[in-house]
Amino acid sequence: MTQLPPAKQGMPCQRLKQILQTLADPTPEQVVAEIDRCLSGGLGLPPRVFFETTEQASVAISITDPDAIILYANAAFERVTGYRADEVIGKNESLLSYKTTPRGYYERMWTDIKAGKSWTGRLVNRRKDGSRYLAELTISPVLSESGAIQYFLGIHRDITEVRHLHAQVASQKALIETVLDLAPMAVALLDDADKVVLDNHEYKKLASLFPGGEPARHVLRALFGEDGSHFKLPGEGFSEREFVIERGGSPMRWFSCSGVWFDRRETSAEAFLDSHRRRYLVLVMDDITPHKRRQEEQRLATLRAMLAEGEMVQSLREAISGAIYQLQGPVNLIEAALKMAQRRGSSGDSSALIGVLREALESGQSALDRLTQSMPSEAQESAAPVNLNEIVRDVLSVSTGPLLSAGVSVEWKPAPVLPAIPGRATALRTMLKQLVDNAIQAMVAHRSLDRELRIITSSSDDGVMIQVEDTGPGVPEGLRTKIFEPFFTTHRPMSRNAGMGLALAQEVVARHGGSLRIDPHYERGCRFEVFFPRGSREVE
Ligand code: FAD
């Protein structure tokens, strides 16, 4: 066993001598008590206990003189370094140096410990067999009563394995982060308080879309509402849920989002003794905007074709209805003339006239019947919940060309939340497009300098409303009811407007249980108001 260094063995005696000199006339009891205190270091423990404790400590302990000459080394020191204590006592601690540590590092260490401060650092050490190990070393100066450095206490442990494990974890983390960063989709790892603990480049890029907030939280709120508690249930994940980001001024972005929960054991100090597991959510967001744009373009092209076909059917119906309307007058006159002639009797002249009139009536009625039969029927469409914001967006999208060529600027103010109404989307689109086309036509015909179209949707306890405003000439008070009558038009007789547009628009709105009117108080141009009361049901 290692012997206590001679200098250390002498310490309690010197201290006792000093104390006894301060006592004027010490009694035997006082002397015994002082001897006891000195031997036990004032703690009631004999010095042997300190020695054995140090000797059996599991960390390598050495005591040196102020020049790092080793005076004592414990058993753990022997195990860690491979040197026996008697091989190192009297040698400098530098015999452990692997000679790779930069000189400046030692200089800083020595500056600290010479100044009486404790120093902790890592050094590459060499064992007796020449192998290296990484030592975590703390050197503490042991001061005399006057504050001079008497010894240095060195405590070190081999942290090669720990360092290796740390390096492995760090490199695996770096690897995971690199792979994550290379992923083309945004990935974030959230703890159970929705705090992002790991993310990738693509996720960081999303920050610009959500100024002043964590993108993941916005996304979860958009997908699951404010509370979102139901998707946190055990085992619940979700896959390919789509959401759209719409920011005023910037193009829409679509994302497909999936989430997977997993449990992980807590590593914090408080959780050391219990087996508490924490839940984490891996959130993956894939930007599907290009794909969605293509889909949307296809949808709009189909919509355009449907609306164009609808318009064609409508103008045919208008033309045929106009012809029927025009023909009905003469046929009615012929019928009246026939009845008159029949009342007068069937003399020679009259019977010839009756015959001619009957023939004329028959051919007029058969022309009317043929016209009625040739009327193209309206497209059949089944009713479904319709969001009027989407109807407005569709109509504005398909009207982009006419709006641009007419130099009309558009302001679109959608209600943030708009309850769906039961309805027929195509009929409603046709109706709204009629109002938009009318507004463009009115502003162009009036040669308005400021051509503005504003569409506002709103919702109240009573129902939902679309307002279509233009900066055209407006509709004079006397015509505000008339313009909804069939075949009423303010356009030239030969223009392509047969005067059925608003009549049909009103019919569509009425079939949805709503109302279409002109706001009499609007003065900048014309404002049409389409209103669907809450709970309105479409009527056939
Ligand atoms: P050296 O020439 O010995 O020293 C390098 C630089 O250190 C010098 O330029 C000088 O600035 C400074 N220096 C050295 N000795 C002194 C001194 N007495 N006073 C002021 N400055 C000085 N080193 C290890 O490599 N591994 C260890 O495990 C280790 N344990 C130590 C434990 C204790 C308690 C102490 C006090 C020192 C320990 N050292 C240890 C430091 C060791 O004593 C050497 O300073 C170091 O190993 C560098 O040795 P060297 O031969 O490469 O260079």
Side-chain angles (χ1 to χ4, degrees):
M1 185 171 286
T2 319
Q3 292 300 309
L4 264 177
K8 190 123 205 222
Q9 281 173 338
M11 268 181 75
C13 304
Q14 281 168 15
R15 171 106 184 94
L16 181 62
K17 219 162 96 192
Q18 283 168 3
I19 291 167
L20 291 180
Q21 276 165 2
T22 60
L23 296 172
D25 188 12
T27 62
E29 289 78 17
Q30 270 179 319
V31 174
V32 171
E34 285 307 330
I35 290 170
D36 265 2
R37 268 183 38 173
C38 288
L39 283 176
S40 63
L43 291 174
L45 291 171
R48 186 95 222 138
V49 174
F50 292 101
F51 173 67
E52 278 166 12
T53 307
T54 311
E55 188 58 28
Q56 290 168 33
S58 61
V59 285
I61 297 176
S62 57
I63 297 170
T64 73
D65 73 4
D67 290 326
I69 302 298
I70 301 172
L71 304 173
Y72 164 80
N74 74 348
F77 185 98
E78 293 180 335
R79 280 197 302 276
V80 172
T81 66
Y83 288 106
R84 286 195 321 275
D86 62 318
E87 287 175 313
V88 293
I89 285 174
K91 305 241 169 73
N92 193 297
E93 292 270 10
S94 67
L95 96 158
L96 295 177
S97 169
Y98 197 72
K99 307 291 179 202
T100 48
T101 308
R103 217 170 177 74
Y105 194 73
Y106 287 125
E107 282 172 6
R108 282 194 296 280
M109 175 189 100
W110 277 105
T111 308
D112 276 3
I113 60 176
K114 285 262 168 178
K117 290 188 230 158
S118 209
W119 177 92
T120 298
R122 288 171 180 190
L123 297 167
V124 181
N125 271 1
R126 192 203 326 248
R127 295 191 187 88
K128 186 181 172 187
D129 63 8
S131 60
R132 336 167 247 194
Y133 68 96
L134 184 68
E136 188 172 68
L137 168 68
T138 296
I139 302 177
S140 307
V142 180
L143 308 179
S144 68
E145 277 190 351
S146 62
I149 295 169
Q150 280 185 306
Y151 309 99
F152 286 120
L153 170 69
I155 301 176
H156 83 264
R157 62 193 180 107
D158 179 352
I159 58 159
T160 316
E161 190 56 24
V162 175
R163 170 88 202 298
H164 179 64
L165 289 174
H166 274 158
Q168 253 187 344
V169 169
S171 86
Q172 273 179 7
K173 189 167 174 264
L175 187 74
I176 291 170
E177 281 171 358
T178 310
V179 172
L180 275 184
D181 279 344
L182 288 174
M185 61 276 282
V187 182
L189 179 67
L190 281 80
D191 65 15
D192 48 10
D194 292 348
K195 188 168 169 274
V196 173
V197 289
L198 182 73
D199 58 15
N200 70 346
H201 274 325
E202 286 302 314
Y203 178 82
K204 287 189 181 84
K205 279 199 224 157
L206 292 182
S208 63
L209 290 176
F210 304 96
E214 186 65 70
R217 283 206 204 119
H218 281 276
V219 170
L220 291 177
R221 215 175 298 142
L223 290 175
F224 302 102
E226 275 302 321
D227 170 27
S229 52
H230 63 283
F231 92 95
K232 293 188 174 176
L233 296 172
E236 295 270 322
F238 54 94
S239 102
E240 294 179 11
R241 299 279 295 255
E242 287 185 12
F243 68 94
V244 62
I245 301 171
E246 238 179 317
R247 289 263 172 273
S250 47
M252 292 199 329
R253 299 268 300 267
W254 283 267
F255 288 86
S256 168
C257 194
S258 302
V260 182
W261 284 105
F262 73 91
D263 289 351
R264 209 190 69 157
R265 243 193 100 165
E266 260 290 24
T267 51
S268 67
E270 309 86 67
F272 182 69
L273 290 176
D274 72 26
S275 56
H276 180 72
R277 300 181 81 83
R278 233 178 144 172
R279 296 189 81 203
Y280 289 84
L281 175 72
V282 184
L283 194 63
V284 181
M285 286 160 281
D286 203 0
D287 190 345
I288 52 168
T289 309
H291 167 70
K292 276 287 179 184
R293 287 222 174 101
R294 271 196 305 280
Q295 260 189 5
E296 184 65 4
E297 273 159 23
Q298 277 165 7
R299 194 181 74 84
L300 284 178
T302 314
L303 211 65
R304 255 183 226 113
M306 271 168 64
L307 284 172
E309 195 186 311
E311 273 171 17
M312 201 182 71
V313 169
Q314 185 179 320
S315 58
L316 260 176
R317 286 173 63 86
E318 281 178 34
I320 294 170
S321 305
I324 293 173
Y325 181 73
Q326 298 295 325
L327 198 59
Q328 191 71 57
V331 170
N332 289 349
L333 275 176
I334 295 169
E335 196 176 9
L338 177 64
K339 278 184 185 150
M340 243 158 65
Q342 281 169 334
R343 269 202 299 274
R344 281 202 191 138
S346 52
S347 60
D349 282 357
S350 296
S351 86
L353 178 66
I354 288 169
V356 171
L357 285 173
R358 189 170 288 133
E359 234 174 80
L361 181 63
E362 275 170 14
S363 87
Q365 265 167 347
S366 98
L368 275 175
D369 287 348
R370 277 200 304 279
L371 278 174
T372 310
Q373 277 161 18
S374 65
M375 178 101 82
S377 53
E378 279 181 296
Q380 290 303 305
E381 189 191 6
S382 47
V386 176
N387 185 312
L388 291 178
N389 276 346
E390 280 167 24
I391 297 288
V392 176
R393 193 177 302 122
D394 286 348
V395 169
L396 287 177
S397 300
V398 297
S399 305
T400 309
L403 286 163
L404 282 176
S405 58
V408 177
S409 64
V410 178
E411 194 182 338
W412 158 222
K413 287 184 168 176
V417 181
L418 202 62
I421 62 160
R424 296 171 199 259
T426 308
L428 288 169
R429 270 188 217 109
T430 311
M431 176 276 296
L432 190 67
K433 182 149 186 309
Q434 182 67 54
L435 299 185
V436 170
D437 287 349
N438 284 358
I440 299 173
Q441 222 171 10
M443 288 186 282
V444 171
H446 186 244
R447 298 181 196 283
S448 307
L449 289 177
D450 293 331
R451 295 177 189 182
E452 287 168 32
L453 175 75
R454 186 181 302 128
I455 303 189
I456 304 156
T457 50
S458 55
S459 148
S460 66
D461 287 346
D462 299 335
V464 291
M465 161 111 91
I466 311 177
Q467 291 172 310
V468 181
E469 299 171 6
D470 64 52
T471 51
V475 177
E477 200 181 334
L479 296 182
R480 282 181 197 152
T481 318
K482 267 193 116 35
I483 57 168
F484 292 104
E485 288 174 9
F487 303 112
F488 175 84
T489 177
T490 55
H491 299 281
R492 282 176 289 114
M494 293 309 287
S495 75
R496 57 182 280 274
N497 302 80
M500 285 297 288
L502 280 179
L504 291 173
Q506 196 170 47
E507 193 194 317
V508 169
V509 177
R511 272 198 281 145
H512 283 77
S515 62
L516 171 63
R517 63 160 211 149
I518 292 178
D519 179 358
H521 308 296
Y522 189 72
E523 285 170 357
R524 277 192 74 205
C526 182
R527 177 194 278 158
F528 278 92
E529 289 183 341
V530 190
F531 179 70
F532 299 100
R534 193 166 282 268
S536 65
R537 288 280 171 272
E538 193 194 24
V539 287
E540 281 307 315

mmCIF file of all heavy atoms in Angstrom, residues 366-387:
data_model
loop_
_atom_site.group_PDB
_atom_site.id
_atom_site.type_symbol
_atom_site.label_atom_id
_atom_site.label_comp_id
_atom_site.label_asym_id
_atom_site.label_seq_id
_atom_site.Cartn_x
_atom_site.Cartn_y
_atom_site.Cartn_z
ATOM 1 N N SER A 366 -97.684 25.089 -85.066
ATOM 2 C CA SER A 366 -96.674 24.022 -85.241
ATOM 3 C C SER A 366 -95.274 24.626 -85.248
ATOM 4 O O SER A 366 -94.315 24.019 -84.754
ATOM 5 C CB SER A 366 -96.991 23.171 -86.473
ATOM 6 O OG SER A 366 -96.247 23.572 -87.579
ATOM 7 N N ALA A 367 -95.129 25.891 -85.781
ATOM 8 C CA ALA A 367 -93.808 26.557 -85.709
ATOM 9 C C ALA A 367 -93.423 26.798 -84.249
ATOM 10 O O ALA A 367 -92.282 26.566 -83.828
ATOM 11 C CB ALA A 367 -93.857 27.890 -86.471
ATOM 12 N N LEU A 368 -94.439 27.215 -83.451
ATOM 13 C CA LEU A 368 -94.176 27.443 -82.017
ATOM 14 C C LEU A 368 -93.759 26.147 -81.328
ATOM 15 O O LEU A 368 -92.824 26.105 -80.533
ATOM 16 C CB LEU A 368 -95.430 27.996 -81.327
ATOM 17 C CG LEU A 368 -95.637 29.516 -81.403
ATOM 18 C CD1 LEU A 368 -96.972 29.889 -80.784
ATOM 19 C CD2 LEU A 368 -94.517 30.254 -80.688
ATOM 20 N N ASP A 369 -94.494 25.045 -81.677
ATOM 21 C CA ASP A 369 -94.161 23.743 -81.066
ATOM 22 C C ASP A 369 -92.743 23.314 -81.431
ATOM 23 O O ASP A 369 -91.982 22.834 -80.586
ATOM 24 C CB ASP A 369 -95.141 22.668 -81.541
ATOM 25 C CG ASP A 369 -96.507 22.853 -80.896
ATOM 26 O OD1 ASP A 369 -96.590 23.661 -79.939
ATOM 27 O OD2 ASP A 369 -97.477 22.227 -81.372
ATOM 28 N N ARG A 370 -92.393 23.505 -82.722
ATOM 29 C CA ARG A 370 -91.042 23.090 -83.153
ATOM 30 C C ARG A 370 -89.978 23.905 -82.419
ATOM 31 O O ARG A 370 -88.954 23.395 -81.986
ATOM 32 C CB ARG A 370 -90.908 23.263 -84.683
ATOM 33 C CG ARG A 370 -91.480 22.063 -85.453
ATOM 34 C CD ARG A 370 -90.924 21.986 -86.867
ATOM 35 N NE ARG A 370 -91.136 23.184 -87.639
ATOM 36 C CZ ARG A 370 -92.287 23.485 -88.262
ATOM 37 N NH1 ARG A 370 -93.325 22.665 -88.178
ATOM 38 N NH2 ARG A 370 -92.396 24.604 -88.948
ATOM 39 N N LEU A 371 -90.283 25.217 -82.303
ATOM 40 C CA LEU A 371 -89.316 26.078 -81.585
ATOM 41 C C LEU A 371 -89.167 25.617 -80.134
ATOM 42 O O LEU A 371 -88.061 25.504 -79.597
ATOM 43 C CB LEU A 371 -89.771 27.540 -81.616
ATOM 44 C CG LEU A 371 -89.451 28.330 -82.882
ATOM 45 C CD1 LEU A 371 -90.092 29.698 -82.824
ATOM 46 C CD2 LEU A 371 -87.927 28.493 -83.041
ATOM 47 N N THR A 372 -90.315 25.331 -79.496
ATOM 48 C CA THR A 372 -90.267 24.912 -78.075
ATOM 49 C C THR A 372 -89.480 23.606 -77.943
ATOM 50 O O THR A 372 -88.683 23.435 -77.024
ATOM 51 C CB THR A 372 -91.706 24.735 -77.527
ATOM 52 O OG1 THR A 372 -92.444 25.903 -77.854
ATOM 53 C CG2 THR A 372 -91.721 24.501 -76.032
ATOM 54 N N GLN A 373 -89.741 22.680 -78.939
ATOM 55 C CA GLN A 373 -89.027 21.391 -78.859
ATOM 56 C C GLN A 373 -87.525 21.553 -79.102
ATOM 57 O O GLN A 373 -86.713 20.804 -78.569
ATOM 58 C CB GLN A 373 -89.595 20.419 -79.892
ATOM 59 C CG GLN A 373 -90.851 19.727 -79.401
ATOM 60 C CD GLN A 373 -91.641 19.150 -80.547
ATOM 61 O OE1 GLN A 373 -91.120 18.971 -81.650
ATOM 62 N NE2 GLN A 373 -92.914 18.887 -80.302
ATOM 63 N N SER A 374 -87.197 22.556 -79.952
ATOM 64 C CA SER A 374 -85.760 22.709 -80.267
ATOM 65 C C SER A 374 -84.993 23.459 -79.165
ATOM 66 O O SER A 374 -83.788 23.619 -79.233
ATOM 67 C CB SER A 374 -85.577 23.449 -81.600
ATOM 68 O OG SER A 374 -86.059 24.777 -81.458
ATOM 69 N N MET A 375 -85.739 23.899 -78.138
ATOM 70 C CA MET A 375 -85.061 24.608 -77.023
ATOM 71 C C MET A 375 -84.138 23.638 -76.291
ATOM 72 O O MET A 375 -84.606 22.616 -75.762
ATOM 73 C CB MET A 375 -86.139 25.122 -76.069
ATOM 74 C CG MET A 375 -85.582 25.817 -74.866
ATOM 75 S SD MET A 375 -85.671 27.589 -75.011
ATOM 76 C CE MET A 375 -87.328 27.897 -74.521
ATOM 77 N N PRO A 376 -82.809 23.902 -76.263
ATOM 78 C CA PRO A 376 -81.914 22.964 -75.544
ATOM 79 C C PRO A 376 -82.210 22.983 -74.046
ATOM 80 O O PRO A 376 -82.455 24.051 -73.482
ATOM 81 C CB PRO A 376 -80.508 23.506 -75.852
ATOM 82 C CG PRO A 376 -80.699 24.910 -76.267
ATOM 83 C CD PRO A 376 -82.093 25.068 -76.776
ATOM 84 N N SER A 377 -82.204 21.781 -73.469
ATOM 85 C CA SER A 377 -82.525 21.745 -72.035
ATOM 86 C C SER A 377 -81.308 22.151 -71.202
ATOM 87 O O SER A 377 -80.159 22.016 -71.645
ATOM 88 C CB SER A 377 -82.991 20.346 -71.634
ATOM 89 O OG SER A 377 -82.015 19.437 -72.050
ATOM 90 N N GLU A 378 -81.582 22.647 -70.014
ATOM 91 C CA GLU A 378 -80.501 23.077 -69.116
ATOM 92 C C GLU A 378 -79.777 21.841 -68.580
ATOM 93 O O GLU A 378 -80.402 20.797 -68.382
ATOM 94 C CB GLU A 378 -81.074 23.850 -67.942
ATOM 95 C CG GLU A 378 -81.363 25.289 -68.291
ATOM 96 C CD GLU A 378 -81.907 26.015 -67.095
ATOM 97 O OE1 GLU A 378 -82.987 25.642 -66.636
ATOM 98 O OE2 GLU A 378 -81.245 26.937 -66.637
ATOM 99 N N ALA A 379 -78.457 21.997 -68.336
ATOM 100 C CA ALA A 379 -77.682 20.859 -67.824
ATOM 101 C C ALA A 379 -78.199 20.479 -66.443
ATOM 102 O O ALA A 379 -78.483 21.349 -65.629
ATOM 103 C CB ALA A 379 -76.211 21.251 -67.731
ATOM 104 N N GLN A 380 -78.338 19.186 -66.223
ATOM 105 C CA GLN A 380 -78.819 18.716 -64.918
ATOM 106 C C GLN A 380 -77.632 18.620 -63.967
ATOM 107 O O GLN A 380 -76.567 18.151 -64.332
ATOM 108 C CB GLN A 380 -79.472 17.342 -65.064
ATOM 109 C CG GLN A 380 -80.797 17.363 -65.805
ATOM 110 C CD GLN A 380 -81.821 18.290 -65.148
ATOM 111 O OE1 GLN A 380 -82.111 18.155 -63.968
ATOM 112 N NE2 GLN A 380 -82.340 19.247 -65.909
ATOM 113 N N GLU A 381 -77.820 19.110 -62.808
ATOM 114 C CA GLU A 381 -76.718 19.105 -61.838
ATOM 115 C C GLU A 381 -77.303 18.819 -60.466
ATOM 116 O O GLU A 381 -78.341 19.380 -60.105
ATOM 117 C CB GLU A 381 -76.076 20.504 -61.843
ATOM 118 C CG GLU A 381 -74.805 20.590 -61.064
ATOM 119 C CD GLU A 381 -74.348 22.038 -60.877
ATOM 120 O OE1 GLU A 381 -75.089 22.966 -61.252
ATOM 121 O OE2 GLU A 381 -73.254 22.211 -60.335
ATOM 122 N N SER A 382 -76.637 17.947 -59.702
ATOM 123 C CA SER A 382 -77.203 17.649 -58.384
ATOM 124 C C SER A 382 -76.693 18.654 -57.349
ATOM 125 O O SER A 382 -75.598 19.208 -57.486
ATOM 126 C CB SER A 382 -76.869 16.225 -57.965
ATOM 127 O OG SER A 382 -75.516 15.997 -58.198
ATOM 128 N N ALA A 383 -77.494 18.848 -56.323
ATOM 129 C CA ALA A 383 -77.151 19.829 -55.284
ATOM 130 C C ALA A 383 -76.134 19.242 -54.311
ATOM 131 O O ALA A 383 -76.141 18.044 -54.045
ATOM 132 C CB ALA A 383 -78.410 20.229 -54.535
ATOM 133 N N ALA A 384 -75.242 20.114 -53.814
ATOM 134 C CA ALA A 384 -74.217 19.700 -52.846
ATOM 135 C C ALA A 384 -73.814 20.953 -52.068
ATOM 136 O O ALA A 384 -74.086 22.067 -52.513
ATOM 137 C CB ALA A 384 -73.012 19.132 -53.588
ATOM 138 N N PRO A 385 -73.138 20.784 -50.908
ATOM 139 C CA PRO A 385 -72.708 21.988 -50.170
ATOM 140 C C PRO A 385 -71.735 22.796 -51.029
ATOM 141 O O PRO A 385 -70.787 22.247 -51.586
ATOM 142 C CB PRO A 385 -72.013 21.423 -48.936
ATOM 143 C CG PRO A 385 -72.523 20.046 -48.798
ATOM 144 C CD PRO A 385 -72.827 19.567 -50.187
ATOM 145 N N VAL A 386 -71.999 24.097 -51.139
ATOM 146 C CA VAL A 386 -71.171 24.957 -51.999
ATOM 147 C C VAL A 386 -70.589 26.088 -51.168
ATOM 148 O O VAL A 386 -71.311 26.737 -50.406
ATOM 149 C CB VAL A 386 -72.040 25.559 -53.137
ATOM 150 C CG1 VAL A 386 -71.227 26.526 -53.980
ATOM 151 C CG2 VAL A 386 -72.623 24.459 -53.998
ATOM 152 N N ASN A 387 -69.292 26.306 -51.330
ATOM 153 C CA ASN A 387 -68.657 27.445 -50.658
ATOM 154 C C ASN A 387 -68.605 28.609 -51.648
ATOM 155 O O ASN A 387 -67.973 28.506 -52.694
ATOM 156 C CB ASN A 387 -67.250 27.044 -50.208
ATOM 157 C CG ASN A 387 -66.597 28.143 -49.407
ATOM 158 O OD1 ASN A 387 -66.604 29.308 -49.808
ATOM 159 N ND2 ASN A 387 -66.025 27.773 -48.276
#
